[in-house]
Amino acid sequence: MILGVIKEGPTENRVAISPDTVAAILKLGIEQVQVENGAGHNSSFGDSDYETAGAKVVSRQDVLKNASLVASIHSMPDEELSQLSDSQMVIGQFNPLTNNDVVKSLNANKVTAFSLDMLPRSTRAQAMDVLSSMATVAGYKAVLNAANHLPSFFPMFMTAAGTIKPAKVLIIGAGVAGLQAIATARRLGAVVEAFDVRTAAKEEVLSLGAKFVDVEGSAESAAAGGYAIEQSEDYKKRQAQAVHEHAKTADVIICTAQIPGRQAPRIIHKATVDEMKKGAVIIDLAASSGGNCEVTENGKIIDYNGLTIIGDSNLPGSMPRDASSMFSKNTLNFLKLLIVDGNVNLNFEDDIIAATCITHQGEINNERLKK
Ligand code: NAD
């Protein structure tokens, strides 16, 4: 079989497969890796890098015609999906829980699709976990962007001109992105506080040298697979009050709180932003799912009464070389499970295959998506 790699659309700099994983993919018994010309350009990978690694660089049309399995980050346009035959498959990060149109389109065209963002968050799936990889990049870049926009230093400085206080950073949501943001902000010398509804997050926050903001009585569910769940109205009020108090003195707030398949929880209200310091920066990574901050505008950097509020959920695309390499290694690890003797083995008894296969032969068998 041939594995194809296509170039992403104009708003995406990453590429699903980087040259450094081509040799390992070929070792799975795959006949050839065909890469669309220019696919890696925006991630700083040249066509010659792919050729040196053992791939063949061809036109997009040839990739779509020849490949049994097409790898991309986002789904390809409908008119291209409709050109694929029933036996062709696609793999990527299609965001099916919130992107109904993609699911409808894949299904209508009877494409077998694997979406790596649907992986179970289990130890066995960890090496394939694109969400963790991309959240790592996002958490890191969020802090760098905040430091760039902040009109003051992050670390404490003792200078002849006097002592400069360290920046105070508040992190909302201590999952993968939040923990990486804590570590990065600490490395830059900031004083960091973090908040999460999952009690398990407290220990991780403390182990990174940050302070945990406690709001007691959060709801958790073992059935949520480690994810957060929707909170009660009473909890939300007490949470908003606690965040309000800590936000008033913060120089930077990094918002990372998400609930899979749902609108992001609204945690920072306009009244809180109104009381924050001039010059403070809010980076809202949850912007594309509604934002944790009421004032956030998705895809925009706004000046709100002297504060900078950045709504950016696509930070992985701003560090495309490493983000692509990580995405590609995750994809390779998934392919090691999916491909047996050089061919796709659709073993739906395997929980990872069952969870990631979102459409197959014109049907949605995926339990999470059906719900
Ligand atoms: P996510 O992106 O879904 O959410 C980010 C964080 O926001 C989470 O920590 C969540 O608890 C928090 N959050 C949600 N609602 C909130 C609210 N109202 N207030 C404050 N915080 C709120 O999460 P993620 O980073 O993808 O991680 C989700 C879970 O998966 C975590 O438990 C993480 O440890 C686990 N995980 C497991 C594996 C694995 O074992 N393969 C890999 C990565 C993550």
Side-chain angles (χ1 to χ4, degrees):
M1 68 172 268
I2 291 174
L3 177 93
V5 185
I6 50 170
K7 188 172 166 59
E8 300 293 322
T11 57
E12 181 56 75
N13 290 327
R14 291 168 294 166
V15 60
I17 301 292
S18 53
D20 54 347
T21 44
V22 168
I25 291 173
L26 288 169
K27 274 199 192 136
L28 300 175
I30 283 178
E31 199 184 314
Q32 206 170 54
V33 175
Q34 293 196 356
V35 182
E36 177 183 347
N37 46 35
H41 179 77
N42 292 348
S43 304
S44 313
F45 304 125
D47 287 349
S48 60
D49 295 324
Y50 283 102
E51 281 166 342
T52 307
K56 189 172 177 201
V57 175
V58 298
S59 69
R60 185 177 184 90
Q61 234 178 351
D62 280 348
V63 174
L64 296 180
K65 193 174 71 189
N66 302 334
S68 307
L69 179 61
V70 182
S72 62
I73 291 176
H74 304 290
S75 181
M76 63 186 86
D78 212 20
E79 56 273 22
E80 287 183 333
L81 280 177
S82 62
Q83 286 170 30
L84 300 182
S85 72
D86 292 4
S87 63
Q88 284 177 292
M89 306 188 185
V90 297
I91 180 168
Q93 182 184 340
F94 303 133
N95 205 9
L97 290 178
T98 46
N99 197 340
N100 279 336
D101 290 346
V102 165
V103 180
K104 276 189 199 148
S105 176
L106 289 164
N107 210 29
N109 290 299
K110 296 198 164 79
V111 176
T112 298
F114 301 95
S115 194
L116 294 177
D117 46 350
M118 297 289 280
L119 279 165
R121 304 309 279 274
S122 60
T123 306
R124 194 165 78 96
Q126 218 156 5
M128 315 164 193
D129 192 346
V130 291
L131 286 180
S132 290
S133 297
M134 297 308 111
T136 299
V137 179
Y140 168 81
K141 273 306 279 271
V143 173
L144 298 191
N145 282 358
N148 264 336
H149 282 88
L150 193 70
S152 26
F153 285 110
F154 258 47
M156 183 178 89
F157 272 113
M158 311 259 270
T159 75
T163 301
I164 293 168
K165 280 203 219 154
K168 192 180 141 193
V169 176
L170 175 62
I171 313 275
I172 308 283
V176 182
L179 292 175
Q180 184 54 238
I182 294 173
T184 307
R186 293 265 302 141
R187 275 184 222 124
L188 283 178
V191 172
V192 185
E193 295 182 330
F195 167 71
D196 201 296
V197 284
R198 290 180 302 109
T199 44
K202 180 173 181 174
E203 207 178 304
E204 292 169 320
V205 167
L206 297 178
S207 75
L208 288 169
K211 191 177 155 214
F212 190 74
V213 177
D214 260 316
V215 181
E216 285 185 359
S218 60
E220 295 187 53
S221 163
Y227 284 111
I229 58 166
E230 187 80 33
Q231 300 296 313
S232 68
E233 286 309 314
D234 169 59
Y235 182 86
K236 283 183 195 167
K237 265 191 215 140
R238 288 187 292 113
Q239 174 187 45
Q241 189 53 41
V243 169
H244 182 83
E245 292 310 317
H246 288 265
K248 278 195 296 193
T249 55
D251 298 290
V252 169
I253 301 183
I254 312 265
C255 300
T256 76
Q258 310 254 22
I259 300 175
R262 287 180 174 242
Q263 181 96 348
R266 185 53 57 77
I267 296 169
I268 302 176
H269 297 280
K270 188 172 163 295
T272 299
V273 184
D274 285 338
E275 286 197 35
M276 285 178 65
K277 290 194 221 169
K278 287 247 180 297
V281 180
I282 299 177
I283 309 268
D284 198 340
L285 300 183
S288 66
S289 49
N292 291 151
C293 171
E294 192 176 348
V295 185
T296 298
E297 290 184 33
N298 187 27
K300 289 195 180 152
I301 300 178
I302 57 169
D303 177 335
Y304 179 84
N305 295 338
L307 275 78
T308 306
I309 302 179
I310 304 177
D312 194 344
S313 297
N314 192 22
L315 287 178
S318 69
M319 218 175 74
R321 191 209 287 252
D322 275 351
S324 300
S325 280
M326 291 165 89
F327 193 98
S328 183
K329 294 223 173 74
N330 293 142
T331 307
L332 163 68
N333 289 327
F334 179 77
L335 294 179
K336 283 181 183 168
L337 182 75
L338 181 71
I339 292 174
V340 177
D341 297 331
N343 285 305
V344 168
N345 177 32
L346 277 176
N347 173 16
F348 289 115
E349 299 293 306
D350 188 303
D351 68 323
I352 293 181
I353 304 292
T356 50
C357 185
I358 52 170
T359 55
H360 177 55
Q361 293 177 340
E363 296 209 26
I364 299 169
N365 296 321
N366 189 290
E367 288 305 321
R368 228 170 129 205
L369 255 190
K370 272 202 263 183
K371 268 189 216 158

